[in-house]
Amino acid sequence: MVRYCVLSFCALGLLLMTGCMFDEGRSDVSGTVTLDGQPLTLGMIHFDPVDPPKEKSIVSGVTQIENGAYKITGPKLGLLPGKYKVWIQSELLKDKNGNLVNPDDVKDMKVNPAGLINENLIPPEYGPGGENFLEIKQKGKIEYNLDIKTNKE
């Protein structure tokens, strides 16, 4: 019985140490993205590091936006402290007549991809050339929301 307890205690210690090594102070980031006041149906949100320190490898974060919500979480996927440029990507696929095309139909070869057009839904100021930033100072749970206006109103 004592031997079992000692082995269990050692195993637990190893697990805790391993978990701490992978954590590196990463933050869970989540939030909402709206387009003209409505949840963005589908898209991607990107967090690209700005001037990452040379002694630490700060990687970009990217995740899917579904029904206006996104989250980047976990000890390996969360974002490290630093400054990030944030940009959004969301497109509609249309045929030459302007009709919406389901991307699954293209993937399943039900629709010929020749002549299809990607229509970007996101204004340039919220794309890769925009000026939206998030600064993470320390580990924690961070909520970052974006309300994108297309000026179509």
Side-chain angles (χ1 to χ4, degrees), residues 1-120:
M1 176 72 171
V2 172
R3 185 176 178 182
Y4 175 73
C5 288
V6 170
L7 286 174
S8 296
F9 183 72
C10 289
L12 178 62
L14 278 173
L15 282 173
L16 289 174
M17 285 177 23
T18 305
C20 291
M21 286 190 294
F22 286 114
D23 189 341
E24 298 183 36
R26 294 178 184 271
S27 292
D28 295 340
V29 181
S30 62
T32 60
V33 180
T34 58
L35 183 65
D36 293 327
Q38 299 298 313
L40 185 63
T41 305
L42 194 62
M44 300 296 285
I45 186 165
H46 301 257
F47 295 86
D48 294 338
V50 176
D51 298 326
K54 293 181 184 4
E55 69 274 1
K56 226 178 197 186
S57 174
I58 297 181
V59 296
S60 297
V62 61
T63 192
Q64 188 165 328
I65 302 164
E66 283 189 70
N67 300 317
Y70 75 90
K71 62 182 171 180
I72 296 179
T73 61
K76 292 184 183 179
L77 300 177
L79 299 178
L80 289 167
K83 187 173 182 180
Y84 295 85
K85 182 178 210 171
V86 183
W87 58 282
I88 307 294
Q89 178 181 4
S90 183
E91 299 172 338
L92 291 176
L93 194 56
K94 293 185 174 184
D95 65 16
K96 62 183 176 184
N97 298 322
N99 300 314
L100 288 177
V101 175
N102 183 337
D104 289 335
D105 289 344
V106 176
K107 185 175 73 176
D108 297 339
M109 300 304 287
K110 294 178 185 173
V111 173
N112 185 347
L116 295 180
I117 302 163
N118 283 331
E119 181 183 317
N120 189 6

Side-chain angles (χ1 to χ4, degrees), residues 136-149:
I136 299 174
K137 297 188 187 257
Q138 62 188 27
K139 179 182 174 179
K141 292 186 184 287
I142 298 168
E143 184 174 332
Y144 182 76
N145 302 317
L146 275 172
D147 183 24
I148 300 169
K149 304 283 186 209

